[in-house]
Amino acid sequence: MSSETDSDSDESTSKCGAKTDGGEAANSSSGSKCGASKSDSSSSSSKSKCGASKSDSSSSGSNCGSSSKSESVEEKVEATVDDFDAEPGRLMAVGLGPGHPEGMTQRARDVLLEADHIVGYTTYIDLLPDEIIEGADDIYDTPMCGEVSRTEESVDRTLAGNDVAIVGSGDPNVYALAGLALEILESKGATASMVDFEVIPGVPAAQSCGARLGAPLVNDTVSISLSDHLVPMPEIESRLHAVAKESFTITIYNPWSRKRRDNFEKCCEILLTHRDPDTPVGIVHAAGREDEQVMITELDELEELGESEIIDMTTTIVVGNEETYVWDDRMVTPRGYETKYDY
Amino acid sequence: MSSETDSDSDESTSKCGAKTDGGEAANSSSGSKCGASKSDSSSSSSKSKCGASKSDSSSSGSNCGSSSKSESVEEKVEATVDDFDAEPGRLMAVGLGPGHPEGMTQRARDVLLEADHIVGYTTYIDLLPDEIIEGADDIYDTPMCGEVSRTEESVDRTLAGNDVAIVGSGDPNVYALAGLALEILESKGATASMVDFEVIPGVPAAQSCGARLGAPLVNDTVSISLSDHLVPMPEIESRLHAVAKESFTITIYNPWSRKRRDNFEKCCEILLTHRDPDTPVGIVHAAGREDEQVMITELDELEELGESEIIDMTTTIVVGNEETYVWDDRMVTPRGYETKYDY
């Protein structure tokens, strides 16, 4: 459910700040087996298949909780393709699907079993089956909010000759790291072809949560993230208006955090401008995890639930369209068969 | 890629009509082991765990190619929950993901291995691994366009006491049968709880195709089907206008058929009204199949490709937003990290 959460790095400092210090420190120290440090950026550590990385530990500072570029300690990608002597390995962005290992595809499992190094957010690494963890030469995990440095680490390790899998829950294309991996490859003067870059898709949160709720998403649908860390809130609002007017079901990612409760309130207000107060809304918290919660409610009840435990950054919300109804504790959005068939 | 195609029953009669005759005939004859026929709708065949079904074979006639309710031979769901004596089995709507078995989740595989009966469109059944086919008591497959009768068959077999998996590629919530299964359960006077109804999600076509293209979908995104069999074309056009104005990436399902090439042309025209002619567009034909083709082009080239082999009902099209670019044969839609981080 939260590949998306992973990539959403504007989370509250109380959640990320402290932990990230440790994570980033590990990144810039030599605590990790490979790729974490070298004192001279012109030398490569290809003998040990270790990635080149920056000697300046301040460049890998956490950006968690920062809200503007000028305030943040920028992460610089300093090692380039020229710093590596090795034949590059493969780089695979792997979607794990929902939290539990059974939600992973066979292809994802195969790729993780083949990978030399596996890189990811600690929470997702912890969910991997033992056989995958034990089969890897190295696991590199950092807490939430280190996605840029973690992705750079993956690229460096790949350029140093390792086959590297960078993992996240859900799908690598859904608010996740497939794009960042390509952008960092480009910034280093490498190419996607050079590392045989591959995206291994996974079941996105919208689908995992839709399944828990019944059949809310069988017609045209949109996904919108309420995080304004990387997209300005006026754009998000404009998108919400545009789709709420039309008969899309709407899946809301990253709905709430203490730092930006206003976004959630604004979202509820916009939806109510265009949709009936009794529009069915499905809420799935931590799908596939031990603390999973599922609730079906109505649109005019949504805003006040923002303050309850069921809605946080691991929650996905599905807003029905004007035809969505609730039957036997399931949300159903008709595909339209009833207009053509008699059953 | 075409769980969606499966559920999209307005396809050309040349594709569906002939085949469906055979498929539907199998459904209304006693050719299938279970659930296909009984002469008296008040008796149940629970001893052999066979589903009740209608004695009137005309009620399961194909609706393929029909374009309005009045013209179609309506399918009637005649057997109700009262016609079955057995303790109901379980009903599972299973998404297979992309065409190849490696794209299936472990959970989908486990559920299929446990199922007594597996029901689906012939093309998808043919893609299942041998161990699953051999492990089932019965496989019931019909050609394209029989989705209503096929789904009813699944429900009947479940009510007759079998554990039934109804399968499709992609995800059961994406233009697929999860909703229809619930609607048919309701129409029979059954409930979802009674059959322990469960949706097992799969990797949708948007994600499988996005992965082939690189990272085109990492920001807010919409899915729209161009089939006007179940949704009127003016509504589809209105949705296209609404989202093309905003910075969504757009995944187009069911883009083209000989019978409705106008929809595709209209779609291209609407997109060009709001987006630059050089907007990157990714086209994936038959993702994960032997005849897979991947192409990245520009928006103003799209319309003429409608007449080429790469675009048919097994094709999924991803239209970039205003920030999407092509690099090293990959489509990349920035998530926005570049506005906050320096790499």
Side-chain angles (χ1 to χ4, degrees):
Chain A
M1 280 0 354
S2 29
S3 63
E4 299 70 31
T5 306
D6 183 17
S7 62
D8 187 41
S9 57
D10 69 334
E11 275 325 277
S12 59
T13 43
S14 64
K15 232 173 164 180
C16 299
K19 283 187 178 177
T20 308
D21 287 341
E24 298 296 336
N27 185 23
S28 59
S29 78
S30 55
S32 80
K33 276 190 202 165
C34 289
S37 68
K38 65 189 182 76
S39 55
D40 175 359
S41 67
S42 68
S43 76
S44 88
S45 44
S46 59
K47 278 177 191 165
S48 61
K49 283 197 167 190
C50 289
S53 194
K54 52 257 159 188
S55 54
D56 173 12
S57 65
S58 72
S59 68
S60 63
S62 163
N63 284 285
C64 280
S66 69
S67 58
S68 78
K69 191 166 183 173
S70 59
E71 286 168 26
S72 66
V73 181
E74 292 182 0
E75 294 193 52
K76 285 190 183 296
V77 173
E78 294 185 354
T80 73
V81 67
D82 297 330
D83 296 322
F84 298 89
D85 293 334
E87 183 75 18
R90 296 173 61 208
L91 180 59
M92 297 154 288
V94 183
L96 303 179
H100 51 87
E102 295 73 26
M104 203 187 300
T105 67
Q106 185 62 47
R107 175 90 180 111
R109 180 181 290 266
D110 292 346
V111 159
L112 291 175
L113 286 170
E114 287 166 13
D116 301 320
H117 294 193
I118 300 174
V119 176
Y121 169 39
T122 307
T123 300
Y124 304 142
I125 294 288
D126 288 347
L127 291 167
L128 292 176
D130 289 345
E131 60 170 337
I132 288 174
I133 297 292
E134 288 158 10
D137 293 343
D138 191 35
I139 305 289
Y140 180 82
D141 64 301
T142 63
M144 196 186 248
C145 304
E147 65 265 36
V148 173
S149 62
R150 199 160 59 222
T151 306
E152 190 194 353
E153 183 75 22
S154 307
V155 171
D156 283 349
R157 287 170 181 234
T158 306
L159 294 176
N162 305 287
D163 289 343
V164 178
I166 181 162
V167 303
S169 73
D171 178 75
N173 248 301
V174 180
Y175 306 111
L177 301 179
L180 188 59
L182 288 170
E183 290 179 61
I184 290 179
L185 274 170
E186 186 179 7
S187 75
K188 287 177 179 286
T191 66
S193 317
M194 185 186 287
V195 298
D196 201 7
F197 178 73
E198 187 181 356
V199 176
I200 290 85
V203 175
Q207 267 54 53
S208 302
C209 296
R212 298 294 189 294
L213 295 165
L217 296 171
V218 290
N219 223 317
D220 294 341
T221 189
V222 309
S223 295
I224 295 187
S225 166
L226 295 191
S227 166
D228 60 357
H229 178 55
L230 300 171
V231 176
M233 192 59 198
E235 277 192 41
I236 297 171
E237 290 178 27
S238 181
R239 292 175 194 174
L240 282 166
H241 274 294
V243 298
K245 278 181 206 165
E246 301 290 330
S247 196
F248 289 102
T249 53
I250 303 170
T251 302
I252 297 171
Y253 284 80
N254 304 317
W256 202 90
S257 78
R258 278 182 294 278
K259 281 188 66 185
R260 52 173 178 71
R261 61 176 66 186
D262 290 352
N263 298 11
F264 183 72
E265 287 166 10
K266 189 73 194 171
C267 169
C268 294
E269 184 189 306
I270 291 170
L271 293 171
L272 277 167
T273 308
H274 305 286
R275 301 221 169 156
D276 289 340
D278 62 354
T279 301
V281 174
I283 303 173
V284 182
H285 174 268
R289 311 274 175 82
E290 283 182 10
D291 55 337
E292 177 180 296
Q293 291 182 66
V294 178
M295 177 191 281
I296 296 178
T297 185
E298 296 185 347
L299 186 54
D300 62 355
E301 304 289 330
L302 187 58
E303 186 178 329
E304 71 186 61
L305 288 166
E307 301 291 333
S308 71
E309 284 187 359
I310 198 172
I311 299 186
D312 63 19
M313 289 296 284
T314 71
T315 302
T316 304
I317 297 173
V318 177
V319 180
N321 68 19
E322 62 219 21
E323 292 171 335
T324 305
Y325 62 93
V326 179
W327 173 71
D328 193 26
D329 292 332
R330 266 75 170 186
M331 270 175 85
V332 183
T333 301
R335 172 77 180 106
Y337 288 107
E338 77 287 357
T339 65
K340 296 274 175 174
Y341 300 85
D342 188 13
Y343 52 83
Chain B
M1 282 13 347
S2 27
S3 62
E4 300 70 33
T5 305
D6 183 18
S7 63
D8 188 42
S9 57
D10 70 333
E11 275 323 278
S12 59
T13 42
S14 64
K15 234 176 168 179
C16 299
K19 282 186 179 178
T20 309
D21 286 342
E24 298 297 332
N27 186 23
S28 58
S29 78
S30 56
S32 81
K33 276 190 201 163
C34 288
S37 68
K38 65 189 182 75
S39 55
D40 176 359
S41 67
S42 69
S43 76
S44 89
S45 44
S46 60
K47 280 177 192 166
S48 61
K49 284 198 168 187
C50 289
S53 194
K54 52 258 160 186
S55 55
D56 173 11
S57 67
S58 72
S59 68
S60 64
S62 163
N63 284 285
C64 280
S66 69
S67 57
S68 79
K69 192 165 182 173
S70 59
E71 287 169 24
S72 67
V73 181
E74 292 181 359
E75 293 192 52
K76 286 191 183 294
V77 173
E78 294 183 356
T80 72
V81 66
D82 297 330
D83 295 324
F84 299 89
D85 293 335
E87 183 74 20
R90 296 173 60 207
L91 180 58
M92 296 154 287
V94 183
L96 303 179
H100 52 85
E102 295 73 27
M104 202 186 302
T105 66
Q106 186 62 47
R107 174 91 180 113
R109 179 180 291 264
D110 291 346
V111 159
L112 292 174
L113 286 169
E114 289 166 12
D116 301 321
H117 295 192
I118 300 174
V119 176
Y121 169 40
T122 307
T123 300
Y124 304 141
I125 294 287
D126 289 347
L127 291 168
L128 292 175
D130 290 344
E131 60 169 338
I132 288 175
I133 297 292
E134 289 159 11
D137 292 344
D138 192 35
I139 304 290
Y140 181 82
D141 63 301
T142 63
M144 197 186 248
C145 304
E147 65 265 34
V148 173
S149 62
R150 200 161 58 224
T151 306
E152 189 192 353
E153 183 75 23
S154 308
V155 171
D156 284 350
R157 288 172 180 233
T158 306
L159 294 176
N162 306 288
D163 290 343
V164 178
I166 182 163
V167 303
S169 74
D171 178 75
N173 247 302
V174 180
Y175 307 112
L177 300 179
L180 188 58
L182 287 170
E183 290 179 62
I184 290 179
L185 274 169
E186 185 179 8
S187 75
K188 287 178 179 286
T191 65
S193 316
M194 186 186 284
V195 299
D196 201 6
F197 178 74
E198 187 182 356
V199 176
I200 290 87
V203 176
Q207 266 56 51
S208 302
C209 296
R212 298 294 189 294
L213 295 165
L217 296 171
V218 290
N219 223 316
D220 293 341
T221 189
V222 309
S223 295
I224 295 187
S225 167
L226 295 191
S227 166
D228 60 357
H229 178 55
L230 301 171
V231 176
M233 192 59 197
E235 276 191 41
I236 298 171
E237 290 178 27
S238 182
R239 292 174 193 174
L240 282 166
H241 275 294
V243 298
K245 277 180 207 164
E246 302 289 330
S247 197
F248 289 102
T249 53
I250 303 171
T251 303
I252 298 171
Y253 283 80
N254 305 315
W256 201 90
S257 79
R258 277 181 295 278
K259 282 188 65 187
R260 51 174 179 72
R261 62 176 65 184
D262 290 352
N263 298 12
F264 184 72
E265 288 166 10
K266 189 72 193 172
C267 169
C268 294
E269 186 189 305
I270 291 170
L271 293 172
L272 278 168
T273 307
H274 304 286
R275 301 221 170 156
D276 288 340
D278 62 354
T279 301
V281 174
I283 304 174
V284 181
H285 174 269
R289 311 274 175 81
E290 282 181 10
D291 55 337
E292 177 181 294
Q293 291 180 66
V294 178
M295 176 191 281
I296 296 178
T297 185
E298 296 185 349
L299 186 54
D300 62 354
E301 305 289 330
L302 186 59
E303 186 178 329
E304 70 185 62
L305 288 166
E307 301 291 333
S308 71
E309 285 187 0
I310 198 171
I311 298 186
D312 63 18
M313 288 297 284
T314 71
T315 302
T316 304
I317 297 173
V318 177
V319 180
N321 67 18
E322 62 219 18
E323 292 172 335
T324 305
Y325 62 93
V326 179
W327 172 72
D328 193 25
D329 292 333
R330 265 76 169 185
M331 268 174 86
V332 183
T333 300
R335 172 76 181 106
Y337 288 106
E338 76 285 359
T339 65
K340 296 273 176 177
Y341 299 85
D342 188 13
Y343 52 81

